[in-house]
Amino acid sequence: MELPIRLSKTSREPIYHQIENQIKALIAGGYLQTGSPLPSIRLLAKDLETSVITIRRAYQNLEYQGFIQTEQGKGTFVAEIAKEKKQQVKITSVYQAFENALDVAISYEYTVEQIKEIFEEVLESRSHKGDANK
Amino acid sequence: MKTLAEIRQIQKQVDEFTLGPLDLTVEAGTITALVGNNGSGKSTLLKLMMNLAKADTGNIKIANTLVNDPEEEWKTHIAYQPQTMIGWDAFTGKALRDFIAPLYPAWDDELFNQLIQAFSIPLNKRFAKLSQGMQRKLSLALTISRNTSILLLDEPTAFMDISSKQKLMQFLTEWMESGERAIVMSTHQVDDITKLADYLCVLQDGNWKGTYEKETMQHMYWQYWMRDALPSEPFPGEVSREGKQFITNKPEATETYLDEHQLSIVNQQTLDLEATLTLLLNK
C-alpha cells in the first residue's frame, strides 16, 4: 500500500470524500511533499479496494481545490500549497476528531460536565507522559 | 469516456434457461465483473459478446460494429479467454503463440514473454500435458498479449495458486494503466471483485439484477447492533434481523426512526461486498 489511507466501514461519509480528506491530511501533515507523485487511479483503486470511478472523483475534487495537479502523460503530483491552506486542513481535521469523540460520548448519554471531566483527565495523563503541553 | 462495447436488451434462451433481457455498456478504463451463482448466465453472456452464440433478441456492438456484421474487423479489437480451450491439446505453447500472434496486429511479444517468465510456463510441452492451473496461465498469456482494447475473461483465476493470482492482478492492473482498454470478467473470486472490479453486473438464474458501481454496492446495506431487544415492528428498509442486530437498505430513515423511538445503537457498519452480493442474490 503506497498511501496510509484507511476507509471507514462505520461512516456514512461517501468513500470518495473519505479518500479526499485523508489525502489532504497527508499533504497538510507533510507525509506527501510538494511535487511527490500520487499513485495512479487504477493502482489506488486496487489498494483501497474501491473503483476507479471513486478514485477519479476524489482526485478531481483535490485538483479543483488546488491540492494536486495532473500532468498529461506523466501522472498526478502534489501541488504547491500555501501555508494557510495547510493550516486550515489541520484545524478542520482536529475539529473533526473532537466531533467524532463527542458523538461517541453523546451516544452513551454523557453530560457536558462529564465530557469536560474526561477531556481534562485525558489531557492530564498525557502531560504526565510528556507528549502534550510542549 | 469512450464506449468500447454496448449491449442492448439482449436475450437468449437455451433449453429451459433464459438469459436477459440485459443491458451493459463497457467504457474505456473500466473493469466489469460478472457475478452470480453457477449457471446464472455469465459464460453465455461472454459467448454472445464474441458472437459464438446468437442472441434471440437485442443487439451487441463491439467497437461500434454489430457482432453479427458479415465484416469481422471487430474481432481484432477483442480477446476472449474461455474456460476450456478446444483443439489446443496437441500443440505446444510455442506453436500456439506462432499461430495466434500474427492474427492480432497489436500483439505484444514483450508482454507475452514477461507473462511466460512470471508464471514459469513451459512453452515446449504439449497443452494436454500441462496441469489445469498451468493451462489457464498459458491461455491467459496468449489472450492478454493480443493487446486488444477489450479483454473478456471467463473465470481467469480459477485453479490458480495464491501467488499467481496476485501476479495476474498486478499484470491486469498495469495493462489497464493507459485508461484506453476495458476488461469484462466472470468470477467467483472475492479478490477479483474487491481489488479489480469497478462495476458489478449481477446475474441470478439468467435474470439481470442490475449493474452497480462498486461504491454504490459498498454502501448498499447497513448492519446495526442494538442495545436492547428489537421491537416486533420492522425497521425502515429492513431486510433481515437476528438477535439484537438487523440489516437495512435505508440507513437515513432507520436512524430517524431510532431517534424518534429513543432506541440505542451499540454499533453499525456497512456490509462487505461478499455479504451484499449474497443478499442481492437471495432476494
Side-chain angles (χ1 to χ4, degrees), chain B residues 191-233:
Chain B
D191 251 9
D192 294 352
I193 300 171
T194 55
K195 294 200 162 63
L196 291 178
D198 302 308
Y199 292 100
L200 285 90
C201 174
V202 184
L203 294 165
Q204 184 186 38
D205 303 326
N207 293 320
W208 178 43
K209 308 284 268 184
T211 302
Y212 304 91
E213 193 190 314
K214 201 198 271 164
E215 182 165 352
T216 310
M217 208 158 212
Q218 284 166 322
H219 276 194
M220 193 176 275
Y221 294 114
W222 290 81
Q223 184 168 21
Y224 289 85
W225 288 263
M226 304 304 293
R227 191 186 61 196
D228 307 307
L230 305 183
S232 53
E233 184 192 5

Short mmCIF file of all heavy atoms in Angstrom, two decimals, chain B residues 191-233:
data_model
loop_
_atom_site.label_atom_id
_atom_site.label_comp_id
_atom_site.label_asym_id
_atom_site.label_seq_id
_atom_site.Cartn_x
_atom_site.Cartn_y
_atom_site.Cartn_z
N ASP B 191 -11.49 -11.69 -4.26
CA ASP B 191 -10.37 -10.79 -4.51
C ASP B 191 -10.48 -10.09 -5.87
O ASP B 191 -10.16 -8.92 -6.01
CB ASP B 191 -9.05 -11.56 -4.46
CG ASP B 191 -8.26 -11.21 -3.22
OD1 ASP B 191 -8.82 -10.51 -2.36
OD2 ASP B 191 -7.09 -11.60 -3.14
N ASP B 192 -10.90 -10.85 -6.90
CA ASP B 192 -11.07 -10.25 -8.23
C ASP B 192 -12.06 -9.10 -8.14
O ASP B 192 -11.89 -8.05 -8.75
CB ASP B 192 -11.64 -11.27 -9.23
CG ASP B 192 -10.67 -12.41 -9.51
OD1 ASP B 192 -9.53 -12.32 -9.06
OD2 ASP B 192 -11.09 -13.36 -10.19
N ILE B 193 -13.11 -9.33 -7.37
CA ILE B 193 -14.18 -8.34 -7.28
C ILE B 193 -13.73 -7.13 -6.47
O ILE B 193 -13.87 -5.99 -6.90
CB ILE B 193 -15.45 -8.96 -6.66
CG1 ILE B 193 -15.91 -10.13 -7.53
CG2 ILE B 193 -16.55 -7.94 -6.50
CD1 ILE B 193 -17.02 -10.96 -6.91
N THR B 194 -13.13 -7.38 -5.28
CA THR B 194 -12.79 -6.25 -4.43
C THR B 194 -11.61 -5.44 -4.98
O THR B 194 -11.62 -4.22 -4.90
CB THR B 194 -12.42 -6.69 -2.99
OG1 THR B 194 -11.38 -7.65 -3.09
CG2 THR B 194 -13.60 -7.28 -2.27
N LYS B 195 -10.62 -6.13 -5.58
CA LYS B 195 -9.41 -5.41 -5.98
C LYS B 195 -9.44 -4.91 -7.42
O LYS B 195 -8.77 -3.95 -7.77
CB LYS B 195 -8.18 -6.27 -5.77
CG LYS B 195 -7.92 -6.56 -4.30
CD LYS B 195 -6.48 -6.97 -4.09
CE LYS B 195 -6.04 -6.85 -2.66
NZ LYS B 195 -6.72 -7.68 -1.71
N LEU B 196 -10.21 -5.59 -8.30
CA LEU B 196 -10.15 -5.21 -9.71
C LEU B 196 -11.41 -4.52 -10.24
O LEU B 196 -11.33 -3.58 -11.01
CB LEU B 196 -9.87 -6.44 -10.58
CG LEU B 196 -8.47 -7.08 -10.47
CD1 LEU B 196 -8.40 -8.32 -11.35
CD2 LEU B 196 -7.39 -6.09 -10.86
N ALA B 197 -12.57 -5.00 -9.83
CA ALA B 197 -13.81 -4.55 -10.49
C ALA B 197 -14.18 -3.10 -10.15
O ALA B 197 -13.98 -2.65 -9.03
CB ALA B 197 -14.95 -5.47 -10.11
N ASP B 198 -14.68 -2.39 -11.16
CA ASP B 198 -15.27 -1.06 -10.96
C ASP B 198 -16.79 -1.18 -10.95
O ASP B 198 -17.48 -0.48 -10.23
CB ASP B 198 -14.85 -0.12 -12.08
CG ASP B 198 -13.34 0.00 -12.16
OD1 ASP B 198 -12.72 0.28 -11.14
OD2 ASP B 198 -12.79 -0.21 -13.26
N TYR B 199 -17.28 -2.05 -11.82
CA TYR B 199 -18.72 -2.28 -11.91
C TYR B 199 -19.01 -3.76 -11.68
O TYR B 199 -18.22 -4.62 -12.08
CB TYR B 199 -19.25 -1.91 -13.29
CG TYR B 199 -19.20 -0.43 -13.59
CD1 TYR B 199 -18.17 0.10 -14.36
CD2 TYR B 199 -20.16 0.44 -13.09
CE1 TYR B 199 -18.10 1.46 -14.64
CE2 TYR B 199 -20.11 1.80 -13.36
CZ TYR B 199 -19.08 2.30 -14.14
OH TYR B 199 -19.03 3.64 -14.40
N LEU B 200 -20.14 -4.04 -11.06
CA LEU B 200 -20.56 -5.41 -10.86
C LEU B 200 -21.88 -5.63 -11.57
O LEU B 200 -22.88 -4.96 -11.26
CB LEU B 200 -20.71 -5.74 -9.38
CG LEU B 200 -19.39 -5.92 -8.63
CD1 LEU B 200 -18.92 -4.59 -8.08
CD2 LEU B 200 -19.57 -6.90 -7.52
N CYS B 201 -21.86 -6.55 -12.53
CA CYS B 201 -23.08 -6.91 -13.25
C CYS B 201 -23.59 -8.19 -12.61
O CYS B 201 -22.94 -9.23 -12.67
CB CYS B 201 -22.74 -7.10 -14.73
SG CYS B 201 -24.11 -7.71 -15.71
N VAL B 202 -24.74 -8.10 -11.94
CA VAL B 202 -25.21 -9.21 -11.11
C VAL B 202 -26.28 -10.03 -11.82
O VAL B 202 -27.29 -9.48 -12.28
CB VAL B 202 -25.76 -8.68 -9.76
CG1 VAL B 202 -26.16 -9.82 -8.85
CG2 VAL B 202 -24.72 -7.79 -9.08
N LEU B 203 -26.05 -11.32 -11.92
CA LEU B 203 -26.97 -12.23 -12.60
C LEU B 203 -27.44 -13.32 -11.64
O LEU B 203 -26.68 -13.84 -10.85
CB LEU B 203 -26.27 -12.89 -13.79
CG LEU B 203 -25.86 -11.99 -14.95
CD1 LEU B 203 -24.88 -12.70 -15.86
CD2 LEU B 203 -27.09 -11.53 -15.72
N GLN B 204 -28.72 -13.65 -11.76
CA GLN B 204 -29.26 -14.76 -10.97
C GLN B 204 -30.15 -15.60 -11.86
O GLN B 204 -31.18 -15.12 -12.34
CB GLN B 204 -30.06 -14.20 -9.79
CG GLN B 204 -30.56 -15.29 -8.86
CD GLN B 204 -31.46 -14.72 -7.79
OE1 GLN B 204 -32.24 -13.81 -8.06
NE2 GLN B 204 -31.35 -15.24 -6.59
N ASP B 205 -29.75 -16.83 -12.09
CA ASP B 205 -30.50 -17.74 -12.97
C ASP B 205 -30.91 -17.06 -14.27
O ASP B 205 -32.06 -17.20 -14.71
CB ASP B 205 -31.76 -18.26 -12.25
CG ASP B 205 -31.39 -18.96 -10.96
OD1 ASP B 205 -30.33 -19.59 -10.92
OD2 ASP B 205 -32.18 -18.87 -9.99
N GLY B 206 -30.02 -16.32 -14.86
CA GLY B 206 -30.31 -15.67 -16.13
C GLY B 206 -30.98 -14.31 -16.00
O GLY B 206 -31.01 -13.54 -16.95
N ASN B 207 -31.51 -14.01 -14.79
CA ASN B 207 -32.13 -12.70 -14.59
C ASN B 207 -31.07 -11.66 -14.26
O ASN B 207 -30.25 -11.86 -13.37
CB ASN B 207 -33.13 -12.73 -13.44
CG ASN B 207 -34.32 -13.59 -13.76
OD1 ASN B 207 -34.82 -13.56 -14.89
ND2 ASN B 207 -34.74 -14.38 -12.79
N TRP B 208 -31.14 -10.56 -14.95
CA TRP B 208 -30.22 -9.47 -14.69
C TRP B 208 -30.72 -8.65 -13.52
O TRP B 208 -31.78 -8.02 -13.61
CB TRP B 208 -30.11 -8.60 -15.94
CG TRP B 208 -29.22 -7.42 -15.80
CD1 TRP B 208 -28.00 -7.37 -15.21
CD2 TRP B 208 -29.48 -6.09 -16.28
NE1 TRP B 208 -27.47 -6.10 -15.31
CE2 TRP B 208 -28.36 -5.31 -15.95
CE3 TRP B 208 -30.53 -5.51 -16.97
CZ2 TRP B 208 -28.28 -3.95 -16.27
CZ3 TRP B 208 -30.46 -4.17 -17.29
CH2 TRP B 208 -29.34 -3.40 -16.94
N LYS B 209 -29.95 -8.65 -12.39
CA LYS B 209 -30.39 -7.93 -11.18
C LYS B 209 -29.92 -6.49 -11.19
O LYS B 209 -30.27 -5.72 -10.30
CB LYS B 209 -29.85 -8.62 -9.93
CG LYS B 209 -30.13 -10.10 -9.85
CD LYS B 209 -31.54 -10.37 -9.47
CE LYS B 209 -31.66 -10.50 -7.97
NZ LYS B 209 -33.02 -10.86 -7.57
N GLY B 210 -29.08 -6.12 -12.16
CA GLY B 210 -28.59 -4.75 -12.23
C GLY B 210 -27.09 -4.71 -12.34
O GLY B 210 -26.41 -5.70 -12.08
N THR B 211 -26.58 -3.56 -12.77
CA THR B 211 -25.13 -3.34 -12.81
C THR B 211 -24.84 -2.17 -11.88
O THR B 211 -25.43 -1.11 -12.03
CB THR B 211 -24.66 -3.04 -14.24
OG1 THR B 211 -25.02 -4.15 -15.06
CG2 THR B 211 -23.15 -2.85 -14.30
N TYR B 212 -24.00 -2.41 -10.89
CA TYR B 212 -23.77 -1.40 -9.86
C TYR B 212 -22.33 -0.92 -9.86
O TYR B 212 -21.42 -1.73 -10.02
CB TYR B 212 -24.07 -1.99 -8.47
CG TYR B 212 -25.45 -2.56 -8.35
CD1 TYR B 212 -25.69 -3.90 -8.62
CD2 TYR B 212 -26.52 -1.76 -7.96
CE1 TYR B 212 -26.97 -4.44 -8.50
CE2 TYR B 212 -27.80 -2.28 -7.84
CZ TYR B 212 -28.01 -3.63 -8.11
OH TYR B 212 -29.27 -4.15 -8.00
N GLU B 213 -22.16 0.36 -9.65
CA GLU B 213 -20.82 0.88 -9.39
C GLU B 213 -20.41 0.35 -8.02
O GLU B 213 -21.25 0.22 -7.13
CB GLU B 213 -20.89 2.41 -9.38
CG GLU B 213 -19.55 3.07 -9.42
CD GLU B 213 -19.66 4.57 -9.15
OE1 GLU B 213 -20.54 5.22 -9.72
OE2 GLU B 213 -18.87 5.06 -8.34
N LYS B 214 -19.13 0.04 -7.85
CA LYS B 214 -18.73 -0.63 -6.62
C LYS B 214 -19.08 0.18 -5.37
O LYS B 214 -19.57 -0.37 -4.39
CB LYS B 214 -17.24 -0.94 -6.66
CG LYS B 214 -16.91 -2.05 -5.67
CD LYS B 214 -15.45 -2.09 -5.37
CE LYS B 214 -14.71 -2.98 -6.32
NZ LYS B 214 -13.28 -2.73 -6.27
N GLU B 215 -18.84 1.51 -5.42
CA GLU B 215 -19.12 2.31 -4.22
C GLU B 215 -20.60 2.24 -3.81
O GLU B 215 -20.92 2.22 -2.63
CB GLU B 215 -18.70 3.77 -4.43
CG GLU B 215 -18.94 4.62 -3.18
CD GLU B 215 -18.23 5.96 -3.17
OE1 GLU B 215 -17.41 6.22 -4.06
OE2 GLU B 215 -18.52 6.74 -2.26
N THR B 216 -21.49 2.21 -4.80
CA THR B 216 -22.92 2.09 -4.51
C THR B 216 -23.17 0.81 -3.72
O THR B 216 -23.93 0.77 -2.75
CB THR B 216 -23.71 2.02 -5.82
OG1 THR B 216 -23.29 3.09 -6.65
CG2 THR B 216 -25.21 2.09 -5.58
N MET B 217 -22.49 -0.26 -4.17
CA MET B 217 -22.70 -1.55 -3.54
C MET B 217 -22.09 -1.60 -2.14
O MET B 217 -22.62 -2.22 -1.23
CB MET B 217 -22.05 -2.61 -4.42
CG MET B 217 -22.72 -3.92 -4.26
SD MET B 217 -22.34 -4.85 -5.71
CE MET B 217 -23.79 -5.79 -5.86
N GLN B 218 -20.94 -0.88 -1.99
CA GLN B 218 -20.28 -0.88 -0.69
C GLN B 218 -21.10 -0.13 0.36
O GLN B 218 -20.87 -0.31 1.55
CB GLN B 218 -18.88 -0.26 -0.80
CG GLN B 218 -17.87 -1.22 -1.44
CD GLN B 218 -16.59 -0.53 -1.87
OE1 GLN B 218 -16.62 0.60 -2.35
NE2 GLN B 218 -15.47 -1.20 -1.73
N HIS B 219 -22.02 0.70 -0.07
CA HIS B 219 -22.87 1.44 0.88
C HIS B 219 -24.34 1.07 0.74
O HIS B 219 -25.21 1.83 1.10
CB HIS B 219 -22.67 2.95 0.72
CG HIS B 219 -21.49 3.48 1.47
ND1 HIS B 219 -21.27 4.80 1.70
CD2 HIS B 219 -20.45 2.84 2.06
CE1 HIS B 219 -20.15 4.96 2.40
NE2 HIS B 219 -19.63 3.79 2.60
N MET B 220 -24.61 -0.12 0.20
CA MET B 220 -25.99 -0.50 -0.07
C MET B 220 -26.73 -0.96 1.19
O MET B 220 -27.84 -0.56 1.46
CB MET B 220 -25.99 -1.62 -1.11
CG MET B 220 -27.34 -1.90 -1.71
SD MET B 220 -27.20 -3.17 -3.00
CE MET B 220 -26.75 -2.19 -4.41
N TYR B 221 -26.06 -1.81 1.98
CA TYR B 221 -26.70 -2.36 3.18
C TYR B 221 -25.93 -1.97 4.43
O TYR B 221 -24.70 -1.95 4.43
CB TYR B 221 -26.76 -3.88 3.11
CG TYR B 221 -27.65 -4.41 2.02
CD1 TYR B 221 -27.10 -5.11 0.96
CD2 TYR B 221 -29.04 -4.23 2.05
CE1 TYR B 221 -27.91 -5.62 -0.06
CE2 TYR B 221 -29.85 -4.72 1.05
CZ TYR B 221 -29.28 -5.42 -0.01
OH TYR B 221 -30.08 -5.91 -1.00
N TRP B 222 -26.67 -1.68 5.48
CA TRP B 222 -26.06 -1.31 6.77
C TRP B 222 -26.55 -2.26 7.84
O TRP B 222 -27.73 -2.59 7.91
CB TRP B 222 -26.42 0.13 7.13
CG TRP B 222 -25.73 1.09 6.22
CD1 TRP B 222 -26.13 1.44 4.96
CD2 TRP B 222 -24.51 1.78 6.46
NE1 TRP B 222 -25.23 2.31 4.42
CE2 TRP B 222 -24.22 2.54 5.32
CE3 TRP B 222 -23.62 1.83 7.56
CZ2 TRP B 222 -23.08 3.34 5.22
CZ3 TRP B 222 -22.50 2.63 7.46
CH2 TRP B 222 -22.24 3.38 6.29
N GLN B 223 -25.58 -2.65 8.69
CA GLN B 223 -25.91 -3.55 9.77
C GLN B 223 -25.86 -2.77 11.09
O GLN B 223 -24.92 -2.01 11.31
CB GLN B 223 -24.87 -4.67 9.78
CG GLN B 223 -25.12 -5.75 10.80
CD GLN B 223 -24.24 -6.95 10.55
OE1 GLN B 223 -23.20 -6.85 9.89
NE2 GLN B 223 -24.64 -8.09 11.06
N TYR B 224 -26.86 -2.94 11.93
CA TYR B 224 -26.92 -2.26 13.23
C TYR B 224 -26.98 -3.28 14.35
O TYR B 224 -27.68 -4.28 14.23
CB TYR B 224 -28.18 -1.37 13.31
CG TYR B 224 -28.12 -0.14 12.44
CD1 TYR B 224 -28.49 -0.22 11.11
CD2 TYR B 224 -27.69 1.08 12.95
CE1 TYR B 224 -28.42 0.89 10.29
CE2 TYR B 224 -27.62 2.20 12.14
CZ TYR B 224 -27.98 2.10 10.81
OH TYR B 224 -27.92 3.20 10.00
N TRP B 225 -26.23 -3.00 15.42
CA TRP B 225 -26.33 -3.80 16.63
C TRP B 225 -27.01 -2.90 17.67
O TRP B 225 -26.53 -1.79 17.93
CB TRP B 225 -24.96 -4.20 17.12
CG TRP B 225 -24.28 -5.24 16.28
CD1 TRP B 225 -24.26 -6.59 16.52
CD2 TRP B 225 -23.51 -5.04 15.08
NE1 TRP B 225 -23.54 -7.22 15.54
CE2 TRP B 225 -23.07 -6.31 14.65
CE3 TRP B 225 -23.17 -3.92 14.32
CZ2 TRP B 225 -22.29 -6.48 13.51
CZ3 TRP B 225 -22.41 -4.08 13.18
CH2 TRP B 225 -21.97 -5.36 12.78
N MET B 226 -28.10 -3.37 18.26
CA MET B 226 -28.85 -2.54 19.19
C MET B 226 -28.58 -2.96 20.64
O MET B 226 -28.23 -4.11 20.90
CB MET B 226 -30.35 -2.68 18.90
CG MET B 226 -30.74 -2.32 17.47
SD MET B 226 -30.20 -0.66 17.00
CE MET B 226 -31.24 0.31 18.06
N ARG B 227 -28.76 -1.99 21.55
CA ARG B 227 -28.51 -2.29 22.96
C ARG B 227 -29.58 -3.25 23.49
O ARG B 227 -29.30 -4.19 24.21
CB ARG B 227 -28.51 -1.00 23.78
CG ARG B 227 -27.99 -1.19 25.19
CD ARG B 227 -28.14 0.05 26.01
NE ARG B 227 -29.55 0.44 26.10
CZ ARG B 227 -29.97 1.65 26.50
NH1 ARG B 227 -29.09 2.58 26.80
NH2 ARG B 227 -31.25 1.92 26.57
N ASP B 228 -30.84 -2.97 23.10
CA ASP B 228 -31.95 -3.75 23.65
C ASP B 228 -32.58 -4.65 22.58
O ASP B 228 -32.24 -4.55 21.40
CB ASP B 228 -33.01 -2.79 24.21
CG ASP B 228 -32.39 -1.79 25.18
OD1 ASP B 228 -31.71 -2.26 26.13
OD2 ASP B 228 -32.55 -0.57 24.98
N ALA B 229 -33.49 -5.49 23.03
CA ALA B 229 -34.18 -6.38 22.09
C ALA B 229 -34.89 -5.57 21.02
O ALA B 229 -35.35 -4.45 21.28
CB ALA B 229 -35.18 -7.24 22.85
N LEU B 230 -34.97 -6.09 19.83
CA LEU B 230 -35.58 -5.36 18.72
C LEU B 230 -37.10 -5.32 18.88
O LEU B 230 -37.71 -6.29 19.33
CB LEU B 230 -35.24 -6.04 17.38
CG LEU B 230 -33.78 -6.28 17.06
CD1 LEU B 230 -33.64 -6.88 15.66
CD2 LEU B 230 -32.98 -4.98 17.14
N PRO B 231 -37.73 -4.18 18.52
CA PRO B 231 -39.19 -4.13 18.53
C PRO B 231 -39.75 -5.07 17.46
O PRO B 231 -39.04 -5.36 16.49
CB PRO B 231 -39.50 -2.66 18.19
CG PRO B 231 -38.28 -2.14 17.53
CD PRO B 231 -37.12 -2.94 18.04
N SER B 232 -40.98 -5.53 17.63
CA SER B 232 -41.51 -6.50 16.67
C SER B 232 -41.78 -5.88 15.30
O SER B 232 -41.66 -6.54 14.28
CB SER B 232 -42.80 -7.13 17.22
OG SER B 232 -43.69 -6.10 17.58
N GLU B 233 -42.11 -4.57 15.30
CA GLU B 233 -42.35 -3.87 14.04
C GLU B 233 -41.05 -3.79 13.23
O GLU B 233 -39.99 -3.50 13.79
CB GLU B 233 -42.84 -2.46 14.39
CG GLU B 233 -43.24 -1.62 13.22
CD GLU B 233 -43.42 -0.14 13.62
OE1 GLU B 233 -43.14 0.21 14.78
OE2 GLU B 233 -43.84 0.63 12.75
#
